[in-house]
């Protein structure tokens, strides 16, 4: 009897020990896989990784939605006594987090006053099933940005009752030009935004432009072109016509320049009017500044500045990409005027 009890204890102890060992092995493997998942999404060093618990507290349990797109939901919050925008990334149609990886790769290491600042990121588990399945279906990803609470350029041009003054508009033009000059010519490798439009140009309380939404952006090296085996991306009204086709699309700096030009013309005119732009391109009368300027401004603008914005917009939106200026030339022209040389022209 005693022997049977003793044998039972030994067998029971062995089973418990085996289960404990299996649990330890399973926990170790699961933890290593989780660390690999985090490492996959957090390749860039120097970018703060926040805890999900802190973001939940900062956003009052993700209660205040301030924006929503096809693959993201944006919440406002206060983190470390700073106002932030917490962007939850939603998987695309293929079940991947490409927008997250793209934004991390492009905006993560940028430092410019006219480019939206990335404060950090977060990776967490949405479901306990992850520890058994280890699939991305049970992962949640967030990007944390500085919060720009004064809306975007589209709202100020088209939706708000207050007229956006020319002084503020010209400040926005120069800020946007500075941001793109930085991305195209001062970042290495350089960055193509690919979705420049008024809705992606945020404005702070001093009406400084902050270029945001880098979900479609790409990083390229000098001498390389980005060829996309996909449908055209971006917003049709602001997209380079050379990129508006299916299949192979070569997207270059000049494609961003085209979108920039359309935005300039909208800032000057108050709305996106392709018919009027075509008319100006066909016949540029001496009165083009007065004819094209936003009537809501009631003539309250500096003529030289308005003329520069319109002419630059027209040159940036040339059908032939080799006739468009670079952002280096555009920056100089806005400050000093002079000749608008194409990006392909030899230096004077």
């Amino acid at each position: 009897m005693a022997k049977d009890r003793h044998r039972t204890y030994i067998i029971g102890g062995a089973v418990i020990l085996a289960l404990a060992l299996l649990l330890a092995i399973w926990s170790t493997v699961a933890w290593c896989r989780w660390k690999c998942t985090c490492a996959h999404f957090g390749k860039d060093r120097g970018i703060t990784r926040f805890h999900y618990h802190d973001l939940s507290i900062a956003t009052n349990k993700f209660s205040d939605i301030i924006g929503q797109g096809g693959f993201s939901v944006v919440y406002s919050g206060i983190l470390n006594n700073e106002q932030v925008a917490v962007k939850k990334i939603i998987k695309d149609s293929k079940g991947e987090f490409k927008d997250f990886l793209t934004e991390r790769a492009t905006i993560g290491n940028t430092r410019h006053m006219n480019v939206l600042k990335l404060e950090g990121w977060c990776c967490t588990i949405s479901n306990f099933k992850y520890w058994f399945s280890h699939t991305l279906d049970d992962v949640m990803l967030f990007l944390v940005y500085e919060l720009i609470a004064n809306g975007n350029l589209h709202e100020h041009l088209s939706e708000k009752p207050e007229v956006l003054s020319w002084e503020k508009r010209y400040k926005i033009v120069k800020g946007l030009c500075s941001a793109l000059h930085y991305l195209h010519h001062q970042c290495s490798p350089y960055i193509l935004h690919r979705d420049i439009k008024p809705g992606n140009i945020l404005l702070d309380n001093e009406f400084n432009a902050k270029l945001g939404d880098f979900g479609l952006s790409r990083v390229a090296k000098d001498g390389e072109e980005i060829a996309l085996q996909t449908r055209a991306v971006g917003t049709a009204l602001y997209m380079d016509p050379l990129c508006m086709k299916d299949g192979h699309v070569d997207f270059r700096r000049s494609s961003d320049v085209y979108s920039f030009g359309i935005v300039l013309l909208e800032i000057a005119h108050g709305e996106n009017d392709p018919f009027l732009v075509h008319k100006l391109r066909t016949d540029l009368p001496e009165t083009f500044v007065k004819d094209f300027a936003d009537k809501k401004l009631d003539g309250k603008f500096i003529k030289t500045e308005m003329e520069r914005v319109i002419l630059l917009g027209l040159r940036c939106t040339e059908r032939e990409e080799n006739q468009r200026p670079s952002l280096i030339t555009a920056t100089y022209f806005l400050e000093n005027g002079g000749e608008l040389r194409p990006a392909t022209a030899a230096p004077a």
Side-chain angles (χ1 to χ4, degrees):
M1 193 78 176
K3 288 183 178 179
D4 291 342
R5 189 180 297 113
H6 183 65
R7 187 181 299 111
T8 301
Y9 287 154
I10 292 175
I11 294 173
V15 170
I16 292 173
L17 183 61
L19 290 174
L21 183 60
L22 286 174
L23 180 62
I25 293 173
W26 173 79
S27 298
T28 301
V29 171
W31 180 251
C32 288
R33 286 183 175 178
W34 170 241
K35 296 294 286 185
C36 288
T37 298
C38 292
H40 172 69
F41 290 113
K43 294 178 181 178
D44 300 327
R45 296 183 179 180
I47 303 176
T48 302
R49 181 183 170 191
F50 294 108
H51 295 290
Y52 176 79
H53 177 70
D54 295 331
L55 296 188
S56 180
I57 293 175
T59 59
N60 192 21
K61 298 182 179 179
F62 302 95
S63 60
D64 187 10
I65 297 177
I66 58 174
Q68 193 161 357
F71 299 107
S72 65
V73 181
V74 184
Y75 307 88
S76 68
I78 299 178
L79 187 64
N80 299 329
N81 296 320
E82 297 280 342
Q83 286 189 310
V84 294
V86 179
K87 183 176 183 178
K88 179 181 179 181
I89 306 297
I90 300 172
K91 292 187 291 293
D92 60 23
S93 57
K94 296 181 179 179
E96 299 175 345
F97 288 103
K98 285 187 176 179
D99 276 11
F100 178 90
L101 295 171
T102 296
E103 291 195 50
R104 279 288 308 269
T106 52
I107 198 173
N109 295 312
T110 57
R111 297 290 183 271
H112 191 278
M113 68 170 292
N114 297 114
V115 175
L116 191 65
K117 181 183 177 184
L118 179 66
E119 302 284 1
W121 68 288
C122 173
C123 180
T124 191
I125 299 167
S126 63
N127 196 307
F128 187 73
K129 290 188 303 181
Y130 172 85
W131 298 113
F132 300 94
S133 64
H134 303 291
T135 66
L136 294 182
D137 292 337
D138 304 307
V139 172
M140 290 195 299
L141 294 171
F142 300 86
L143 292 169
V144 182
Y145 289 98
E146 61 175 326
L147 179 64
I148 308 300
N150 196 24
N152 59 59
L153 178 59
H154 171 75
E155 293 169 347
H156 283 274
L157 285 176
S158 305
E159 298 177 0
K160 293 183 179 291
E162 302 85 2
V163 177
L164 188 62
S165 71
W166 178 250
E167 180 184 8
K168 292 173 181 174
R169 295 190 200 201
Y170 201 61
K171 182 178 184 179
I172 293 165
V173 166
K174 291 195 293 184
L176 177 59
C177 188
S178 180
L180 289 172
H181 176 268
Y182 168 76
L183 296 175
H184 282 193
H185 301 286
Q186 295 178 316
C187 288
S188 182
Y190 67 85
I191 297 172
L192 303 175
H193 187 277
R194 303 204 308 158
D195 196 19
I196 300 164
K197 61 182 180 181
N200 287 339
I201 302 167
L202 306 178
L203 304 174
D204 67 15
N205 291 329
E206 283 73 44
F207 286 87
N208 293 301
K210 300 275 187 176
L211 182 59
D213 199 341
F214 283 73
L216 297 179
S217 59
R218 292 291 185 272
V219 174
K221 295 180 181 179
D222 283 317
E224 290 184 349
E225 302 298 345
I226 290 188
L228 302 172
Q229 299 294 331
T230 182
R231 60 181 175 80
V233 296
T235 304
L237 283 174
Y238 303 90
M239 193 186 303
D240 182 355
L242 299 178
C243 295
M244 297 179 69
K245 60 182 180 179
D246 294 327
H248 183 90
V249 177
D250 290 329
F251 199 101
R252 304 175 176 85
R253 288 183 178 103
S254 61
S255 304
D256 266 355
V257 169
Y258 181 93
S259 302
F260 170 65
I262 294 293
V263 172
L264 292 193
L265 294 172
E266 186 168 341
I267 289 173
H269 187 58
E271 59 183 278
N272 193 330
D273 189 341
F275 175 78
L276 186 53
V277 172
H278 175 72
K279 186 177 179 181
L280 280 185
R281 200 179 297 285
T282 305
D283 177 27
L284 192 67
E286 292 184 3
T287 58
F288 75 92
V289 172
K290 179 182 177 182
D291 297 341
F292 192 79
D294 189 350
K295 299 300 184 287
K296 294 192 296 294
L297 290 171
D298 196 26
K300 297 176 182 176
F301 56 83
I302 298 175
K303 183 180 179 182
T304 302
E305 294 177 349
M306 178 68 78
E307 181 178 295
R308 288 176 185 173
V309 171
I310 296 172
L311 290 177
L312 180 58
L314 290 173
R315 286 298 304 277
C316 287
T317 54
E318 290 280 2
R319 182 78 184 189
E320 298 294 329
E321 63 177 331
N322 59 6
Q323 294 301 309
R324 302 170 193 167
S326 70
L327 270 302
I328 297 174
T329 301
T331 301
Y332 183 86
F333 180 76
L334 286 173
E335 292 290 347
N336 306 289
E339 185 182 359
L340 265 176
R341 297 174 64 82
T344 55

